[in-house]
Structure formats: C-alpha cells, structure tokens
Amino acid sequence: MDDRMAHLEHLDKHLVDELAQVARETIRDELREQTRKQRRTATLYAASGAAALYAGAAVALAVGLALAIGLPGWAAALITAALLAVAAYLLRGAAKPAAPGAGAGHGSGGQGRVPGGTAPAAPPSGLGMPYPPMPPTAPGATGTPGTRAQEPRPDDIDPEAPHGRA
C-alpha cells in the first residue's frame, strides 16, 4: 500500500510538472503573438506620423507660395513660420492635461500630484482605493492636522537672526 502511494505521488508530481510546462509554453506563445501584433501596430503608427509630417510640410509650402504671390519671399516664409509656431503652441496646450481646480491637496510644491500624470478615480478592478491616502500635510510639518504649515513671508524673515542650521 505504501509503495502504491509513493507511485501515485510520483505521478502527481509528474502531472504538475507537465501542466506547468504546457502553461509556460502557452503563455510564451501568446506573448510572442501579442508582441508581433504590437510591433506591427507601432510600425504603422510611425509610418502614419511620417506621412502626416510630410503632408504638413507640403501645406506649409503651399501657404508660403500663396503668400509669396503678393509679398516678397522672405516675408511669406516669415508669416508661414509664425503661423506654424502658433499652431504648435495651440496643439501643445491642447495636449497638456487640464490644470487642477482649487481643491484640497492641489497647492504649490507638487503636493497631491502623482508622478507621470494624474491618479485614476478608481482602480481598474473597481475595488478599493487606487493609492494609499495622502496626508494633508508634509511629513514632519508642524501645525494642526488638516492644515498646511504657513511659509514665512519675505518681510517676516530677519537676515540677522540665526538660521538654525548645523
């Protein structure tokens, strides 16, 4: 009976090893396929961007040539460059995330900000908080909880007073 149990345990271990190997191979194949699809998509996006860049250059050239009908060439080029600069500035402004409102935790010093962007309202799973709660004051700051430590105003600073630095 004891010999039979050892044999069954050996079979169980063998089945677990085989199952783990099949799972690893399946996952590896799936990741390879996803990577291949993502590489193709990235290549198509890059080609699309290059074509759009050349199309934009052709439009800028057409605008410059149209302006050059009634203006000197250098003035037409300068006006075209100014138009492109304004368009770039507006596009850059549209790409920036909206400025945070005057809500709590959005003061100066980057308090309440998440590196790399803004925190999602909820985690993808929909369970719990996405990040641990942030204290309303910086660690080590004095003052009552829930308030910010006031920074000294320039007229409150006495240049002759000791700085308290070691």
Side-chain angles (χ1 to χ4, degrees):
M1 177 87 173
D2 190 34
D3 200 26
R4 231 173 126 190
M5 289 297 285
H7 180 69
L8 286 176
E9 286 177 10
H10 175 72
L11 284 177
D12 285 347
K13 184 178 182 335
H14 183 70
L15 285 174
V16 167
D17 290 343
E18 220 175 293
L19 182 61
Q21 180 67 26
V22 168
R24 278 193 296 271
E25 289 173 3
T26 304
I27 291 170
R28 187 179 305 126
D29 291 343
E30 182 65 28
L31 287 175
R32 260 194 209 116
E33 181 67 21
Q34 286 179 2
T35 302
R36 188 185 65 76
K37 286 179 183 177
Q38 289 173 350
R39 190 178 306 130
R40 182 176 185 274
T41 302
T43 302
L44 291 174
Y45 272 118
S48 169
L53 180 67
Y54 283 111
V59 168
L61 178 65
V63 168
L65 290 174
L67 286 172
I69 292 172
L71 296 171
W74 64 268
L78 193 61
I79 291 171
T80 304
L83 289 174
L84 288 173
V86 168
Y89 180 78
L90 293 175
L91 290 171
R92 180 177 169 255
K96 280 186 178 179
H106 289 93
S108 63
Q111 186 85 10
R113 294 195 56 210
V114 176
T118 58
S125 66
L127 304 172
M129 295 180 66
Y131 301 102
M134 294 294 295
T137 58
T142 58
T144 58
T147 62
R148 291 181 179 262
Q150 283 192 335
E151 295 183 20
R153 295 186 309 235
D155 56 337
D156 291 341
I157 299 173
D158 181 12
E160 300 297 319
H163 298 294
R165 296 184 185 146

mmCIF file of all heavy atoms in Angstrom, residues 100-107 111 148:
data_model
loop_
_atom_site.group_PDB
_atom_site.id
_atom_site.type_symbol
_atom_site.label_atom_id
_atom_site.label_comp_id
_atom_site.label_asym_id
_atom_site.label_seq_id
_atom_site.Cartn_x
_atom_site.Cartn_y
_atom_site.Cartn_z
ATOM 1 N N PRO A 100 -5.390 71.497 -12.484
ATOM 2 C CA PRO A 100 -6.261 71.053 -11.399
ATOM 3 C C PRO A 100 -7.005 72.241 -10.797
ATOM 4 O O PRO A 100 -6.511 73.367 -10.797
ATOM 5 C CB PRO A 100 -5.312 70.412 -10.383
ATOM 6 C CG PRO A 100 -3.967 70.967 -10.708
ATOM 7 C CD PRO A 100 -3.982 71.315 -12.160
ATOM 8 N N GLY A 101 -8.203 71.985 -10.299
ATOM 9 C CA GLY A 101 -9.011 73.029 -9.666
ATOM 10 C C GLY A 101 -8.424 73.445 -8.339
ATOM 11 O O GLY A 101 -7.346 73.037 -7.926
ATOM 12 N N ALA A 102 -9.153 74.268 -7.635
ATOM 13 C CA ALA A 102 -8.674 74.791 -6.354
ATOM 14 C C ALA A 102 -9.061 73.855 -5.222
ATOM 15 O O ALA A 102 -9.333 74.288 -4.118
ATOM 16 C CB ALA A 102 -9.239 76.186 -6.132
ATOM 17 N N GLY A 103 -9.115 72.571 -5.494
ATOM 18 C CA GLY A 103 -9.488 71.607 -4.464
ATOM 19 C C GLY A 103 -8.365 71.380 -3.475
ATOM 20 O O GLY A 103 -7.254 71.859 -3.613
ATOM 21 N N ALA A 104 -8.678 70.628 -2.417
ATOM 22 C CA ALA A 104 -7.689 70.352 -1.374
ATOM 23 C C ALA A 104 -6.589 69.476 -1.921
ATOM 24 O O ALA A 104 -6.806 68.589 -2.739
ATOM 25 C CB ALA A 104 -8.369 69.644 -0.200
ATOM 26 N N GLY A 105 -5.368 69.727 -1.507
ATOM 27 C CA GLY A 105 -4.238 68.902 -1.898
ATOM 28 C C GLY A 105 -3.640 69.286 -3.230
ATOM 29 O O GLY A 105 -2.804 68.581 -3.745
ATOM 30 N N HIS A 106 -4.075 70.407 -3.811
ATOM 31 C CA HIS A 106 -3.542 70.829 -5.094
ATOM 32 C C HIS A 106 -2.831 72.158 -4.965
ATOM 33 O O HIS A 106 -2.958 73.032 -5.795
ATOM 34 C CB HIS A 106 -4.658 70.934 -6.141
ATOM 35 C CG HIS A 106 -5.184 69.597 -6.553
ATOM 36 N ND1 HIS A 106 -6.258 69.030 -5.952
ATOM 37 C CD2 HIS A 106 -4.752 68.727 -7.486
ATOM 38 C CE1 HIS A 106 -6.489 67.866 -6.492
ATOM 39 N NE2 HIS A 106 -5.587 67.645 -7.436
ATOM 40 N N GLY A 107 -2.059 72.327 -3.942
ATOM 41 C CA GLY A 107 -1.344 73.577 -3.732
ATOM 42 C C GLY A 107 0.007 73.548 -4.389
ATOM 43 O O GLY A 107 0.307 72.730 -5.247
ATOM 44 N N GLN A 111 2.285 68.944 -4.042
ATOM 45 C CA GLN A 111 1.539 68.146 -3.076
ATOM 46 C C GLN A 111 0.291 67.593 -3.742
ATOM 47 O O GLN A 111 -0.418 68.313 -4.440
ATOM 48 C CB GLN A 111 1.146 69.036 -1.885
ATOM 49 C CG GLN A 111 0.503 68.272 -0.761
ATOM 50 C CD GLN A 111 1.504 67.657 0.174
ATOM 51 O OE1 GLN A 111 2.677 67.948 0.088
ATOM 52 N NE2 GLN A 111 1.062 66.802 1.039
ATOM 53 N N ARG A 148 -2.137 73.276 6.342
ATOM 54 C CA ARG A 148 -0.787 73.364 5.799
ATOM 55 C C ARG A 148 0.024 74.305 6.676
ATOM 56 O O ARG A 148 -0.476 75.300 7.173
ATOM 57 C CB ARG A 148 -0.807 73.911 4.374
ATOM 58 C CG ARG A 148 -1.409 72.970 3.387
ATOM 59 C CD ARG A 148 -1.351 73.629 2.026
ATOM 60 N NE ARG A 148 -1.908 72.742 1.035
ATOM 61 C CZ ARG A 148 -1.157 71.965 0.270
ATOM 62 N NH1 ARG A 148 0.138 71.995 0.345
ATOM 63 N NH2 ARG A 148 -1.707 71.181 -0.598
#
